[in-house]
Amino acid sequence: MKAGMIGLGAMGTPMARNLAKAGVLTAVYNRTEEKAHRLAQELAVCCAPSPEVLAQSVDVVFLCVSKDAVVLALVDAICPVLKAGSIVVDMSTVGCETAQRAAVLLAEQGVGFLDAPVSGGVEGAKNGTLSIMVGGEEKHLEHVKPLLAAMGDKIIHMGPVGAGQATKAVNQVMAAGINQAVTAALALGQAQGLPMAQVFDVVSGGAAGNWFLAHRGKTMLQGVYEPGFKLALHHKDLEICQAMAKAQGLSIDFLDQTLADYQRLMTEGYGDEDISALYRLKRPD
Amino acid sequence: MKAGMIGLGAMGTPMARNLAKAGVLTAVYNRTEEKAHRLAQELAVCCAPSPEVLAQSVDVVFLCVSKDAVVLALVDAICPVLKAGSIVVDMSTVGCETAQRAAVLLAEQGVGFLDAPVSGGVEGAKNGTLSIMVGGEEKHLEHVKPLLAAMGDKIIHMGPVGAGQATKAVNQVMAAGINQAVTAALALGQAQGLPMAQVFDVVSGGAAGNWFLAHRGKTMLQGVYEPGFKLALHHKDLEICQAMAKAQGLSIDFLDQTLADYQRLMTEGYGDEDISALYRLKRPD
């Protein structure tokens, strides 16, 4: 089985490396050609000059980009040249409808589609320990499972096409709420002049303990906000989540608040910082 | 050193048992006398007919009640009869000012005071594994540390009188935000018809992972809301936190929201359920 990776960003690059390590990667493509060229040299794989050329040469196309429109444009482009029986796996975080539209388009050509967004951050992508939330047909998942196993250690079938994206939305909404919870609570401690190392210690160990506090609390309190997970990307994901919530008739106050807070931080030039940069708006002066 | 415990609720009772196990408990008092009587028989200690009688017979008085006014009334009552050099340790969750007022009153009689609220829930109280956040003078803490060690495995000195309560507020605010985050996100998953056992599995393992999801997520999804931590008590704590935040000029939206949500649940008769009963208001119909 030959695989190609389209989209060589912070996540796509280490994921491509793990596919190469597993011996299945034969081609890469990236909009910024230089990145693709360098990685192709490093991994001794083909640097495709276009998505179409990549698609002609492989059985499985992985997408790892950042926008719904880009996913759909790529699927439009590669659809006519893909062999029947090949599979497109979209690992981007996009909307359920995008996944469903892509699946319908590809099915007309006899091509399978899975939405397979991931969580576990850049560290997980590097170490091959991502959690992969898969929507689509069981038979397609079985077909590409050995390839997914090169990138993640938890591969969970969530249901039909779109169910992977729906699950990712649950994860991203929870992460937003926890960001609000942790930054507001630490700000209350700091405003009261508490010794924050001790606060961190005692709160982490109790019923309010959480991954985000454990992994970002200390740096946040030092005013260090290196990604991690870029704030502008979480903002993009949360816009998708907000649309999903609205479609279900759900209104989530902290989600609206987080979108507004992130927007303000992006306007102030902090979009490339970690999401813990939310503390910039919460900490006492 | 002889110790007495005033307030034998869900937390005070197992804490008294651990003090008895350590061989330092000599008396208990509870407003509802029957509870005190039963526990005194079980532990073979004195059942004091009043807080004053208890206070006369011990060197250290522990308070574990649920309201600021009750703490101050108790301190007023026992203050005249306490020996100089004895210490009052308030393990209730109340405001910083209550701690400070109690400390001033007691200091006039040469009696020490520590605020020492706890986290770790009923399980922690039973197992003697509470986290204890202590405000007050170092010398008083050193004096009672062996007694605290019978009830908790993490005893952290946070600063002067009131600093224990200030730290507890950080913990309770974070817990409120996490409750909102987890219930809203799971509701979004359920509204989309996702298989929730798989959602629980994949989200717990990632960057949105947290204690509350791990310990209350499954029961919440089953519609089971047994305490745990009673919603009405968290509501009471959050009112204190809200006052603290306002005093610092901080406004925390999810805190106001949680107070309103809890108030509604209490009005509907759910105040004695676990705080995860917030899911009653968030889950799709």
Side-chain angles (χ1 to χ4, degrees):
Chain A
M1 209 154 34
K2 293 178 195 169
M5 172 69 80
I6 296 179
L8 303 172
M11 297 295 284
T13 297
M15 286 157 76
R17 284 202 181 96
N18 283 324
L19 287 172
K21 220 178 281 174
V24 294
L25 190 78
T26 59
V28 293
Y29 171 80
N30 194 61
R31 203 174 37 178
T32 314
E33 205 182 315
E34 204 193 304
K35 253 188 188 173
H37 193 69
R38 268 207 313 274
L39 190 68
Q41 284 203 311
E42 176 196 323
L43 302 179
V45 301
C46 169
C47 176
S50 72
E52 293 87 332
V53 171
L54 178 139
Q56 281 167 346
S57 72
V58 298
D59 313 297
V60 181
V61 178
F62 290 98
L63 308 180
C64 195
V65 297
S66 65
K67 282 185 186 157
D68 291 71
V70 176
V71 169
L72 290 175
L74 284 167
V75 167
D76 264 337
I78 64 179
C79 194
V81 301
L82 282 164
K83 287 174 286 192
S86 58
I87 296 178
V88 175
V89 184
D90 180 24
M91 310 193 76
S92 322
T93 296
V94 294
C96 299
E97 299 76 25
T98 295
Q100 283 148 359
R101 283 176 62 186
V104 167
L105 266 172
L106 291 163
E108 287 166 10
Q109 305 288 325
V111 175
F113 177 84
L114 297 170
D115 52 310
V118 302
S119 93
V122 173
E123 298 97 318
K126 276 183 189 154
N127 302 330
T129 55
L130 293 167
S131 289
I132 308 180
M133 305 156 230
V134 185
E137 289 182 35
E138 183 76 45
K139 66 174 181 194
H140 295 145
L141 174 55
E142 285 311 310
H143 198 66
V144 302
K145 221 174 208 175
L147 281 61
L148 294 177
M151 298 180 279
D153 58 4
K154 205 169 213 173
I155 300 159
I156 306 194
H157 190 209
M158 299 304 306
V161 167
Q165 299 298 350
T167 306
K168 181 72 190 277
V170 173
N171 190 78
Q172 300 308 73
V173 167
M174 204 179 292
I178 289 174
N179 197 355
Q180 292 287 353
V182 169
T183 51
L186 292 183
L188 178 60
Q190 205 159 356
Q192 294 179 107
L194 291 172
M196 294 308 289
Q198 280 94 312
V199 171
F200 174 83
D201 192 23
V202 72
V203 175
S204 319
N210 61 85
W211 186 98
F212 184 68
L213 175 64
H215 288 80
R216 302 288 179 257
K218 280 185 184 170
T219 45
M220 196 188 301
L221 289 167
Q222 290 158 0
V224 173
Y225 312 110
E226 283 167 23
F229 180 34
K230 280 188 192 172
L231 194 145
L233 286 178
H234 198 199
H235 181 269
K236 183 266 299 177
D237 292 356
L238 293 179
E239 286 188 316
I240 296 167
C241 298
Q242 195 182 40
M244 285 184 189
K246 276 190 184 149
Q248 299 295 339
L250 299 174
S251 146
I252 305 175
D253 288 345
F254 68 77
L255 179 54
D256 303 341
Q257 179 68 49
T258 308
L259 276 163
D261 286 343
Y262 283 181
Q263 186 57 60
R264 186 175 148 197
L265 286 163
M266 287 156 66
T267 305
E268 292 175 10
Y270 301 121
D272 284 341
E273 292 191 340
D274 185 70
I275 62 166
S276 56
L278 180 62
Y279 198 54
R280 288 183 180 281
L281 302 184
K282 309 293 176 181
R283 69 183 175 200
D285 301 323
Chain B
M1 207 154 35
K2 294 178 195 168
M5 173 69 80
I6 295 179
L8 303 172
M11 296 295 284
T13 298
M15 287 157 75
R17 285 202 180 96
N18 282 324
L19 286 173
K21 220 178 282 174
V24 294
L25 190 78
T26 58
V28 292
Y29 171 80
N30 194 60
R31 203 175 36 179
T32 314
E33 205 181 315
E34 203 193 304
K35 253 189 189 172
H37 192 68
R38 270 207 313 273
L39 190 68
Q41 284 203 311
E42 176 196 323
L43 302 178
V45 301
C46 169
C47 176
S50 71
E52 293 87 334
V53 170
L54 179 141
Q56 280 167 346
S57 71
V58 298
D59 312 297
V60 181
V61 178
F62 290 98
L63 308 180
C64 195
V65 296
S66 65
K67 281 183 186 159
D68 292 71
V70 176
V71 169
L72 290 174
L74 284 167
V75 166
D76 264 337
I78 64 179
C79 195
V81 301
L82 282 164
K83 286 174 285 193
S86 58
I87 297 178
V88 174
V89 184
D90 180 25
M91 309 194 77
S92 323
T93 296
V94 294
C96 299
E97 300 76 25
T98 295
Q100 282 148 2
R101 283 175 64 185
V104 167
L105 266 172
L106 291 163
E108 286 167 11
Q109 304 288 325
V111 175
F113 177 85
L114 297 169
D115 53 310
V118 302
S119 92
V122 172
E123 299 96 318
K126 276 183 190 155
N127 302 330
T129 56
L130 293 167
S131 289
I132 309 180
M133 306 155 229
V134 186
E137 289 182 34
E138 183 76 46
K139 66 175 181 194
H140 294 145
L141 174 54
E142 284 312 311
H143 199 65
V144 302
K145 222 174 208 175
L147 281 60
L148 294 177
M151 297 180 279
D153 57 4
K154 205 168 214 173
I155 300 159
I156 305 195
H157 190 208
M158 299 305 305
V161 166
Q165 299 298 351
T167 306
K168 181 72 190 277
V170 173
N171 190 79
Q172 299 308 73
V173 167
M174 203 178 291
I178 288 173
N179 197 355
Q180 292 286 354
V182 169
T183 52
L186 292 184
L188 178 60
Q190 205 159 357
Q192 294 180 105
L194 291 172
M196 295 307 289
Q198 281 93 312
V199 170
F200 174 83
D201 192 22
V202 73
V203 175
S204 319
N210 61 85
W211 186 99
F212 184 69
L213 176 64
H215 288 80
R216 303 287 179 259
K218 280 185 183 170
T219 45
M220 196 188 302
L221 289 167
Q222 290 160 359
V224 173
Y225 313 111
E226 282 167 23
F229 180 33
K230 280 188 191 171
L231 195 144
L233 286 178
H234 199 201
H235 181 270
K236 183 265 300 177
D237 293 355
L238 293 179
E239 285 188 316
I240 297 167
C241 298
Q242 195 182 40
M244 284 185 191
K246 276 190 185 152
Q248 299 296 339
L250 298 174
S251 147
I252 304 174
D253 288 346
F254 68 77
L255 180 54
D256 303 340
Q257 179 69 50
T258 307
L259 276 163
D261 287 343
Y262 283 0
Q263 185 58 60
R264 186 175 148 196
L265 286 162
M266 287 156 65
T267 305
E268 292 175 10
Y270 302 121
D272 284 341
E273 291 190 340
D274 185 70
I275 62 167
S276 55
L278 180 62
Y279 198 54
R280 288 184 180 280
L281 303 184
K282 310 293 175 180
R283 69 183 176 199
D285 301 323

